[in-house]
């Protein structure tokens, strides 16, 4: 009963890819729709969002590869 069901390893990466596509892709799409005078600021914001998303994915991958640790 406490075991994880089969296929659980697939759900995490799928949700992670969905997060990246929606968050990063959405931000760059949003930045491209602004007027030219606002685009440099929006590009910086989109770059910052991309970096934060990549850090979040890196932390997730690191914890998955490390596995559970006991105290």
């Amino acid at each position: 009963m406490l075991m994880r069901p089969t296929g659980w390893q697939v759900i995490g990466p799928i949700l992670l890819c969905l997060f990246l596509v929606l968050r990063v892709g959405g931000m760059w799409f949003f930045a491209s729709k602004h007027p030219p005078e606002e685009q440099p600021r929006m590009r910086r914001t989109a770059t910052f969002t991309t970096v934060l998303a990549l850090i979040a994915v890196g932390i997730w991958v690191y914890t998955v590869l490390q596995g559970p640790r006991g105290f």
Side-chain angles (χ1 to χ4, degrees):
M1 183 167 203
L2 295 176
M3 300 296 291
R4 290 181 177 161
T6 56
W8 70 271
Q9 293 108 340
V10 177
I11 293 173
I14 289 173
L15 291 175
L16 196 61
C17 288
L18 184 64
F19 164 73
L20 284 176
V21 167
L22 291 176
R23 182 67 187 143
V24 174
M27 189 62 199
W28 282 101
F29 178 75
F30 181 67
S32 70
K33 295 298 179 186
H34 276 271
E37 62 272 359
E38 290 184 19
Q39 285 209 349
R41 181 177 59 89
M42 292 307 297
R43 282 192 194 128
R44 283 192 305 270
T45 303
T47 302
F48 182 69
T49 300
T50 303
V51 169
L52 284 179
L54 291 176
I55 289 171
V57 169
I59 290 171
W60 184 85
V61 169
Y62 176 76
T63 57
V64 166
L65 294 177
Q66 290 297 313
R69 294 184 181 212
F71 286 97

